[in-house]
Amino acid sequence: MKKTDTFFIGLMLFSMFFGAGNLIFPSFLGAEAGTNFWLAMAGFILTGVGLPVAVILAVSLVKGGVNTIAGRVHPKFSTIFMVIIYLSIGPFLAIPRNASVAFQMAAAPFLDGHGSHTIPLLVFTFMFFAVVYLVALNPSKIETYMGRWITPVLLLSIGALCVLVFFNLHHPVQAPSKAYESGSFFTGFIEGYSTMDALGALAFGIVIISAVRHRGAGDSKQLTRNSFKAGLIAGLFLSVIYVSLGLMGRNMAGEGSFRDGAEILSTASTILMGTSGKALLGLIFTLACFTTVVGLTSACGQYFSGLIPKASYKGIVFAVTMVGFILSNLGLAQILKVSVPFLVSAYPITIVLITLAFFHRFIGERKKVYGTAILFTGIFAVIGGLNSIGLTLGPLQSMMNLLPLSSAGMAWVVPAIIGTGVGLILSKFDKTPVLSGERKAIKKAG
C-alpha cells in the first residue's frame, strides 16, 4: 500500500469526522475559556481527537471490529448498542443536524428579511441529500471524492479564514466565563463529546478498514498499521484546526458576547470580508457537513446491509437519506436539544468499552469484567444524561453528587473502576470463556 494512499485515506477520515460541531464548538470554547484556553483545549482535544483515533485503532486490532468488542459484554448488548449508535449518529441525530447547520450557515444569512425559511430549507436539504445519495452509492470512490478533492478545498478555506482573523483582529485575552473559571480541563473534556467523533469512529471504522483493504492491505498487521496511520493523519489535521478555531474564538471575544460558535464565525467573516465572508463561511460549513453526512450514510449502509440479510446497501442508503431529509426539516433547535442527553449517556460507555479493548490481552477469559464495568458505568452515565435535561433522581442523585469528579460531569469514572474490580473478583469463580472462537482472533490481532 502506497504512503500517498494512506495519506488520502487519512484526509478522507478527517473529512468524515469534521462536521458542523467541529467548527462550532472549538471557536466557542476559545471565546469562553479566555485565559484558560490551553488547558480547556487540551481536554477538548483528548476527547475530540484522542478518543476517536483510539477507537479506530481498537476497531482495526480486533477481528470483527466493534461488534466483537461490544460482544464481549454480551452478544445482544453488541447488537443493541451498535444499532443505537448507528441510528443516532446516522439518520436520527447527526445527519439531520449537519444538514440543518449547512442550511443555517450557507443559505439562511442571505434570506434574512425574505419571509419564512420553510420552503428554502426544503429545497436546500432536498438538493443536499440528493448529492449525498449519489456519492454514497459507490463506497469505493468515497476516498477519491472526499480525500483528494473536497477535503483540500475545505482545509484551504478554513486556513484562509483563520489567517485573516489572526492578522486583522487583535483584542486582549478575556477572563474565562464562569464555566471555565475552575476545572477548565474537564469542561473542555466534556465539550469534546459534542463533536460526536468518538461515536462516529465506531461507525467510520468499517469504512476506513474497507478503504485500506481496497488499497491493498492484505494481512491483519498491515490493516491495523495503515488504519492507525490514517487515524493519526486525521487526528493531526483535527488538532491543528481545533486550535486555530479556538484561537480565533479567543481573539473574537473582545468583539462582544456570542450565543454560540456559529455566531462567532459568522461575525468574524462578515467583519473581515462582508458578503464575501458570508459566502466563504457558507462554503466551509457546506463542505464540512456534506463530507460527514456522506461518511455516516455510507457507514450506515454497510452496517445495516450486513446486519439485515435481505437489505441491500443501496436500499439502506436511500432510507438513511430520506429519514435525514425529513428530520432535517424539523429544525436545528429540536435536534440539538435531543443530542445532549444522548451524548452524555453514550460517551462514558464508549470510553470504558474502548479502554477495556486495549487491555483485553490482560483481561483474557474473564468475561464478567466487561459486563460489570459497562453496567456500573451505564447506570451513572444515564443519570448524567437525565441531569443534562434538568431531571434529578432524589437519593440516588445525592449519592452520585458525592462521587469524585461529579462536579466536572464525570461521576461515572469511579463506578467504572469499581465495576471493573468487581468483574475481576467475580471472574475468579467463573470459568466460562469470553467468546467462542475469540482466542484465535486475539492471537492473530496481537
Side-chain angles (χ1 to χ4, degrees), residues 128 130 162 193 195 201 292 300 330 344 373 401 404 426 435:
F128 182 90
C162 289
Y193 291 1
T195 66
T292 297
C300 287
L330 295 180
V344 172
N401 292 339
L426 292 177
L435 285 173

Side-chain angles (χ1 to χ4, degrees), residues 230-298:
L232 289 177
I233 291 167
L236 176 62
F237 278 103
L238 283 172
S239 298
V240 171
I241 295 297
Y242 287 159
V243 171
S244 299
L245 290 171
L247 289 172
M248 180 194 298
R250 193 176 71 165
N251 282 3
M252 283 295 297
E255 293 287 336
S257 58
F258 300 94
R259 290 172 298 177
D260 52 41
E263 189 174 7
I264 291 172
L265 295 173
S266 180
T267 302
S269 59
T270 302
I271 290 173
L272 293 169
M273 293 177 284
T275 303
S276 298
K278 288 183 180 180
L280 175 62
L281 190 63
L283 174 66
I284 291 171
F285 268 88
T286 301
L287 291 177
C289 294
F290 175 78
T291 53
T292 297
V293 171
V294 168
L296 290 171
T297 301
S298 178

Side-chain angles (χ1 to χ4, degrees), residues 337-410:
K337 189 181 295 184
V338 172
S339 69
V340 174
F342 169 76
L343 294 175
V344 172
S345 300
Y347 254 80
I349 296 172
T350 303
I351 291 171
V352 173
L353 199 59
I354 296 304
T355 301
L356 291 174
F358 284 113
F359 288 94
H360 184 69
R361 66 173 60 209
F362 303 106
I363 297 171
E365 304 298 319
R366 287 169 282 199
K367 178 180 179 179
K368 292 192 179 298
V369 173
Y370 288 90
T372 54
I374 295 301
L375 176 62
F376 280 50
T377 303
I379 291 171
F380 289 91
V382 170
I383 294 173
L386 294 174
N387 291 168
S388 70
I389 55 174
L391 296 177
T392 56
L393 300 176
L396 188 59
Q397 186 69 50
S398 300
M399 182 184 74
M400 180 172 169
N401 292 339
L402 295 174
L403 290 170
L405 302 177
S406 62
S407 60
M410 296 175 65

Side-chain angles (χ1 to χ4, degrees), residues 87-266:
L87 290 178
S88 299
I89 64 168
F92 291 144
L93 189 58
I95 285 177
R97 181 180 84 170
N98 275 278
S100 297
V101 169
F103 171 79
Q104 291 292 337
M105 301 306 297
F110 300 96
L111 298 172
D112 290 342
H114 292 80
S116 171
H117 289 179
T118 303
I119 300 302
L121 174 61
L122 187 69
V123 173
F124 180 92
T125 52
F126 177 81
M127 295 173 62
F128 182 90
F129 281 105
V131 180
V132 166
Y133 174 72
L134 292 174
V135 174
L137 275 182
N138 194 344
S140 64
K141 295 291 185 181
I142 289 178
E143 182 258 316
T144 300
Y145 295 139
M146 290 165 43
R148 297 171 189 263
W149 298 351
I150 298 176
T151 303
V153 176
L154 175 61
L155 289 171
L156 286 172
S157 301
I158 296 173
L161 182 60
C162 289
V163 168
L164 285 171
V165 170
F166 294 155
F167 284 99
N168 293 282
L169 296 177
H170 302 284
H171 295 285
V173 179
Q174 305 293 303
S177 66
K178 185 177 180 180
Y180 289 91
E181 283 179 355
S182 61
S184 54
F185 174 85
F186 293 109
T187 304
F189 186 94
I190 300 297
E191 285 298 309
Y193 291 1
S194 300
T195 66
M196 297 183 73
D197 284 344
L199 304 183
L202 292 172
F204 294 149
I206 192 173
V207 179
I208 296 304
I209 289 171
S210 177
V212 172
R213 281 182 178 146
H214 180 71
R215 292 294 176 179
D219 59 43
S220 59
K221 289 185 178 180
Q222 284 183 323
L223 184 67
T224 297
R225 183 170 60 250
N226 288 289
S227 297
F228 184 51
K229 285 180 180 178
L232 289 177
I233 291 167
L236 176 62
F237 278 103
L238 283 172
S239 298
V240 171
I241 295 297
Y242 287 159
V243 171
S244 299
L245 290 171
L247 289 172
M248 180 194 298
R250 193 176 71 165
N251 282 3
M252 283 295 297
E255 293 287 336
S257 58
F258 300 94
R259 290 172 298 177
D260 52 41
E263 189 174 7
I264 291 172
L265 295 173
S266 180

